[in-house]
Amino acid sequence: MASVAEIIRRYQVEIVAEWTAKAATAASARGLVGPTFTNLMPLFLASLGEGVGSSVDATVRRRGHVLGHLAARIRQGFDLSEMIGEFNLVERCIVRACMGVPEQDRPSEADVDRMRDRVHDAIMQLTD
């Protein structure tokens, strides 16, 4: 059985590609492409891939990525609901990656729930 962190590390490129393709539909209305659009989400994803029970430093890094993403999106004209949608989308992309591996290699439900809690913490940070 793989952990969510292992799945994220193994499939990070694919998760980011799926997230970018889907999230780009909102960004395209603003003319955003490439690095301007993707900015910190891959870093946030990598921080989720640090694993369960990761250190306080990892939590601080993850929160820093959220704040950086928030600041960039505000400058780009995104509203709060669009930013929340981006984090919900990355969560769905991670879950799809977890479900895409053979059943015996899928993370436990508890592990997926911990990842979801981290994403929801990020959303709460956005709304604060």
Side-chain angles (χ1 to χ4, degrees), residues 19-70:
W19 176 84
T20 300
K22 292 182 179 186
T25 59
S28 65
R30 291 180 174 70
L32 301 177
V33 294
T36 304
F37 170 63
T38 57
N39 66 37
L40 295 171
M41 190 58 82
L43 297 174
F44 174 75
L45 180 62
S47 72
L48 288 174
E50 291 182 1
V52 176
S54 59
S55 69
V56 171
D57 289 341
T59 300
V60 169
R61 275 192 303 281
R62 196 166 35 256
R63 288 177 183 236
H65 299 322
V66 171
L67 291 177
H69 189 79
L70 171 66

Side-chain angles (χ1 to χ4, degrees), residues 13-30 32 37-38 41 69 73 78 81-97:
V13 170
E14 293 86 350
I15 293 168
V16 169
E18 179 183 4
W19 176 84
T20 300
K22 292 182 179 186
T25 59
S28 65
R30 291 180 174 70
L32 301 177
F37 170 63
T38 57
M41 190 58 82
H69 189 79
R73 288 303 192 245
F78 281 66
S81 65
E82 290 170 310
M83 289 181 264
I84 290 170
E86 288 185 314
F87 281 88
N88 284 329
L89 178 58
V90 81
E91 177 185 334
R92 287 193 306 273
C93 292
I94 294 166
V95 170
R96 268 195 286 283

Side-chain angles (χ1 to χ4, degrees), residues 1-17:
M1 175 181 305
S3 69
V4 172
E6 291 167 336
I7 299 291
I8 290 171
R9 286 190 301 271
R10 190 179 317 153
Y11 297 104
Q12 183 169 355
V13 170
E14 293 86 350
I15 293 168
V16 169

Side-chain angles (χ1 to χ4, degrees), residues 1-4 105-114:
M1 175 181 305
S3 69
V4 172
D105 295 334
R106 291 181 188 156
S108 69
E109 189 173 324
D111 194 24
V112 172
D113 286 344
R114 281 187 289 276

